Amino acid sequence: MYETCGTAVSSPYELHTQEAHPALRRLLADLTGVEGPIHEELLVQRARAAWGLARAGRRIRDNVHTGARSLARAGKAAVRGDFVDVAHRDELKARTPDGEGTSRKAAHVASPRRSGSRRCTSLRLSALECRGTN
């Protein structure tokens, strides 16, 4: 099953501000650890929800983008295109939606070509086998 990270954030700072960066980086690290590789758009959605916001504008999207790149520079994340993952994930596993809001758009699923890894090929094959289940 596809596990989502249910982290809530207790920060006195608004998500679009620079002061929110420490809490945002902790959240992004948690999210990539549980849900990675995860599309940056999903990171924006999860951060918005963690802060209890109804929408995410340009400043919030920019802050999430900056936070993900900051984690990558610190060696805590790997950014490949629009996807963010933990820096040194040893093994990836195929995940299927559990029917409770975990379905993702095709563009939000990392492909073997995007990730640059041959280990994702088995994931892609597993996904193709499950294609008719949704």
Side-chain angles (χ1 to χ4, degrees):
M1 287 295 153
Y2 185 89
E3 181 183 358
T4 58
C5 183
T7 305
V9 173
S10 176
S11 174
Y13 303 109
E14 294 184 23
L15 179 54
H16 68 274
T17 65
Q18 185 172 352
E19 292 81 12
H21 278 211
L24 177 59
R25 282 192 298 268
R26 284 191 298 275
L27 174 67
L28 296 177
D30 290 347
L31 287 167
T32 56
V34 174
E35 298 187 45
I38 183 169
H39 194 276
E40 196 168 280
E41 182 61 31
L42 290 177
L43 286 176
V44 170
Q45 290 175 18
R46 302 286 194 270
R48 177 189 52 76
W51 254 266
L53 301 173
R55 59 177 291 276
R58 181 189 52 78
R59 293 186 299 172
I60 288 174
R61 291 175 190 284
D62 289 348
N63 236 15
V64 171
H65 177 84
T66 300
R69 281 9 183 221
S70 174
L71 285 175
R73 282 191 304 275
K76 297 179 182 179
V79 177
R80 293 180 185 95
D82 294 333
F83 292 86
V84 183
D85 199 1
V86 295
H88 303 287
R89 186 178 299 277
D90 293 331
E91 182 179 305
L92 295 177
K93 60 182 178 179
R95 299 170 294 186
T96 57
D98 65 7
E100 297 180 18
T102 57
S103 295
R104 298 202 266 176
K105 296 177 183 177
H108 293 172
V109 177
S111 75
R113 284 181 292 271
R114 285 190 192 127
S115 69
S117 172
R118 293 178 193 217
R119 65 187 169 165
C120 292
T121 303
S122 63
L123 293 175
R124 185 167 169 76
L125 293 174
S126 295
L128 290 172
E129 290 172 6
C130 297
R131 216 165 80 182
T133 62
N134 290 346

